[in-house]
Each structure stands twice: as structure tokens, then as C-alpha cells.
Amino acid sequence: MRHFWFFVLSCLLLAGCGNDTYDKAMEQGKLALAQGEFEKAQGLLELALEEEPKDQEAQQYHDDLTALFEVEEAINNKEWDQALTKSDQLLKEKDLPGSIKKELNKHRQTAETAKNNVNEQKQNVAESPEKESSQAKKDSVNWKVYHNERYGFTINYPAEWKPGAEPTNGDGRALHPGNESEVLAYASNYMPENHPDLTGYEKVTTAAGYEGYIREDEDYSYEGVILHDGIEFHLSATMSPSFKQKYYDAIKQMFFNVKFD
């Protein structure tokens, strides 16, 4: 995409020459940078450097944007430590443009949240080695897998559960049907105009790096929502006290380990 911007902007500015092209590229590049159009800004800065290769201002802006794109790439690759390190290094710059600083802070929060979730999962395993080792062994044997063909999500569930039949529309399944305790996994096409009300939900990042939202109520219910690639996924559970005591941790694991094709 950045090569595309460089080509398009070159064509637009080649009507000028020399300092005129450089001045136009720098002026429009700074404007794009201020507006958060980072790929466009880098394309313009590359054009300015074609005209003035030794220009320190253009080079500094270009280097800052390159570092920002490296942070984004690290997040896309789920390399949380690398994303945090690169963000912190760049945020130390004295004259870092405000638009880049704002974007970096957003990326840093995403990476830090994901890293904390990973560390929390590791800590939970380490707190009681014998118990966790036994539970892990049990989990590896006593989990089954449900894959939804229509929306492409996969979720594990305890093997002793007896799921209900899929409805005719194929949107999901009752993994544990029942009157007192019920666990549903289902999805739909995400439509912004019908965005679910997530007031009171906690924003989380799942093990696979998806953006998720959870609500854990004291009245024995659990609701998890994942918005991913045009799909709105729900894991909804209503529980009796005894069911919650036995399966609550499993339900949380089910949600955080959901995957999409």
C-alpha cells in the first residue's frame, strides 16, 4: 500500500520540479501526518527525499513512521514484547509528532493488555503445579471440539456435556442445554448499526489475539463477545450454583480459546 501511495503522489507532484516538488511534498506530507494518514504521509516524505536526500526533517519524519509501522507489524505477529520495546523507544523522542505519539499509545495499550493476559495464564498454571498438572492432563483428555461451518468458529467444551442439535440456520449450538444451566455458542454477521450493547463489559484480548468483551455477573451468568472479521461471536452461560462451581473456569477457558478459520 505504501508503494501505491508513492506512485500516485509522484504522479500528482511531478508537474513541479526541484524545490517546488520538495516543498509541495513536505507541505502535504506534514498535513497527512497530522491527520493520521500515515501511509500517505510516508509516500510524500519518500518523494521529498527523492528531491532532497539529505533533508534531516524529512528523514526524521520518515524514520518515525517506519518505526510506527514496525510496531504495528509486531502487534499483527503477536510479538508483544517487541511491540512494547519499539513503542517505548520511539516515545522517548523529544519532538515526536503528536499523531504518531497518540497512535503509539494505542498500540502500546493493546500490546500490554495482550501480554498481561498471557502472563496471567502462565501465573495461574504456576501457582499450584501439582494441581494444575493434574488438571492439564484431565483437560487434554476430557475436552471435545465443536466447529461451526457457517461462521467458521471453533470452541472446546467438556467431553461429559451432551450438546443439543444445531438449529436449521446453523448459527451455533447449545453446548450444554438445560433449564437450570445452559451454555450457548453462536454467531452472526456483525452489523455496525446493530452493534451489541457492551456497556459494563470488560475489554480483553483472547489467546488467539482477538478483541473480546466479557461480563461476569454475580447472578450466575457469563457472557463473552468476540468481534472478528465481520463476525459477532457469543458465548452465553446461565448457571446453577453447583454448575458454576464445577465448570466456571472451564467456561472462561472456552471463551479465551475460541478460534476462527
Side-chain angles (χ1 to χ4, degrees), residues 80 108-119 205-206 209:
W80 313 123
R108 196 186 188 290
Q109 183 176 4
T110 297
E112 191 168 25
T113 299
K115 180 182 178 181
N116 288 341
N117 287 335
V118 171
N119 289 339
T205 302
T206 70

Side-chain angles (χ1 to χ4, degrees), residues 78 80 112-129 132-133 135-136 139 204-210 214 222 226 249-259:
K78 300 181 178 61
W80 313 123
E112 191 168 25
T113 299
K115 180 182 178 181
N116 288 341
N117 287 335
V118 171
N119 289 339
E120 183 177 349
Q121 291 174 5
K122 291 180 179 178
Q123 182 179 356
N124 289 338
V125 172
E127 282 177 353
S128 181
E132 294 296 338
S133 176
Q135 185 65 36
D139 289 346
V204 297
T205 302
T206 70
Y210 306 132
I214 59 174
Y222 180 94
I226 296 174
D249 287 342
I251 289 171
K252 291 192 288 185
Q253 289 180 48
M254 288 166 62
F255 177 74
F256 275 92
N257 288 302
V258 169
K259 294 182 180 179

Side-chain angles (χ1 to χ4, degrees), residues 151-170:
Y151 292 107
F153 68 82
T154 299
I155 185 169
N156 299 329
Y157 65 93
E160 61 266 30
W161 290 4
K162 296 180 179 180
E166 252 190 3
T168 54
N169 66 1

Side-chain angles (χ1 to χ4, degrees), residues 180-237:
E180 292 187 357
S181 302
E182 183 177 53
V183 182
L184 306 175
Y186 60 93
S188 62
N189 292 316
Y190 172 69
M191 293 180 288
E193 62 271 19
N194 295 323
H195 192 288
D197 183 6
L198 299 175
T199 304
Y201 283 67
E202 176 188 357
K203 186 176 181 180
V204 297
T205 302
T206 70
Y210 306 132
E211 176 183 301
Y213 301 85
I214 59 174
R215 187 184 66 197
E216 304 174 83
D217 292 337
E218 295 180 358
D219 60 349
Y220 302 103
S221 67
Y222 180 94
E223 184 76 24
V225 180
I226 296 174
L227 306 178
H228 173 71
D229 199 21
I231 301 298
E232 180 182 321
F233 168 83
H234 288 257
L235 178 64
S236 180

Side-chain angles (χ1 to χ4, degrees), residues 141-161:
V141 175
N142 292 331
W143 287 91
K144 286 187 176 180
V145 178
Y146 167 60
H147 177 73
N148 181 270
E149 294 290 342
R150 181 177 179 184
Y151 292 107
F153 68 82
T154 299
I155 185 169
N156 299 329
Y157 65 93
E160 61 266 30
W161 290 4

Side-chain angles (χ1 to χ4, degrees), residues 23-74:
D23 290 340
K24 288 181 179 178
M26 284 297 293
E27 179 182 357
Q28 294 180 28
K30 290 179 181 179
L31 180 61
L33 183 60
Q35 294 175 342
E37 297 175 325
F38 300 120
E39 292 184 351
K40 180 179 178 181
Q42 191 175 55
L44 286 159
L45 292 165
E46 288 176 358
L47 185 58
L49 288 169
E50 285 283 328
E51 297 296 326
E52 298 289 344
K54 296 182 179 181
D55 186 80
Q56 294 183 358
E57 183 181 25
Q59 188 64 58
Q60 185 61 55
Y61 284 142
H62 186 275
D63 291 346
D64 290 342
L65 285 169
T66 298
L68 173 63
F69 294 140
E70 288 175 353
V71 171
E72 292 177 347
E73 183 178 2

